[in-house]
Amino acid sequence: MEDTVPIRCRMAACREALDDGKEWSFYLINDSQVAFDSAVLYAVGTEWGDLGNSEATDVRVKDLVPGAHALIWRDDGSNAEFRMDFSLRVLVHGVEARIRCEFPKPYRLRNPQLIDGLGKPGWQVAAE
């Protein structure tokens, strides 16, 4: 019988300028006790009322150790009025988990808090 390791992670949304013309950074943070062999952001979805859209992506991160973070998406702010969701595949010890993180309308987010493990102000959500 193979032991499985719980995969725990969260994402953080930070409003920051990085000289690329974009306004928002989205980070993946590994809260597990083991390294992620890989993490792939394969879709970014937006929804406003009954209108929804999904953009296929292929952002890859390898060897994300416990407590580490990786910048996985930059947004120009045009999606800030939409609910945004991020779909990821995380591989740990040969076992793949599909994970989804959802942010409400980022432009409405107020009072950013310092994100533990990231050291930047922003908003965080736990993976589902």
Side-chain angles (χ1 to χ4, degrees), residues 13 15 24 26 46-49 77 79-85 102-110 123:
R15 194 168 199 165
W24 290 89
F26 293 88
T46 57
E47 182 180 293
W48 187 54
N79 291 319
E81 292 186 30
F82 298 90
R83 182 183 57 78
M84 298 180 72
D85 62 78
E102 180 182 308
F103 287 91
K105 301 171 183 175
Y107 83 101
R108 285 188 167 175
L109 298 174
R110 302 284 186 259
W123 300 268

Side-chain angles (χ1 to χ4, degrees), residues 33-103:
Q33 295 180 359
V34 296
F36 295 169
D37 299 328
S38 66
V40 177
L41 174 65
Y42 64 90
V44 176
T46 57
E47 182 180 293
W48 187 54
D50 291 340
L51 301 175
N53 187 43
S54 183
E55 177 181 346
T57 63
D58 189 24
V59 179
R60 297 173 182 269
V61 175
K62 290 188 176 199
D63 302 319
L64 191 63
V65 298
H69 63 273
L71 175 62
I72 60 168
W73 188 253
R74 289 281 292 152
D75 191 83
D76 64 6
S78 63
N79 291 319
E81 292 186 30
F82 298 90
R83 182 183 57 78
M84 298 180 72
D85 62 78
F86 298 83
S87 298
L88 301 109
R89 287 188 307 267
V90 176
L91 185 67
V92 175
H93 301 307
V95 177
E96 182 180 273
R98 291 185 182 261
I99 294 172
R100 187 170 162 268
C101 293
E102 180 182 308
F103 287 91

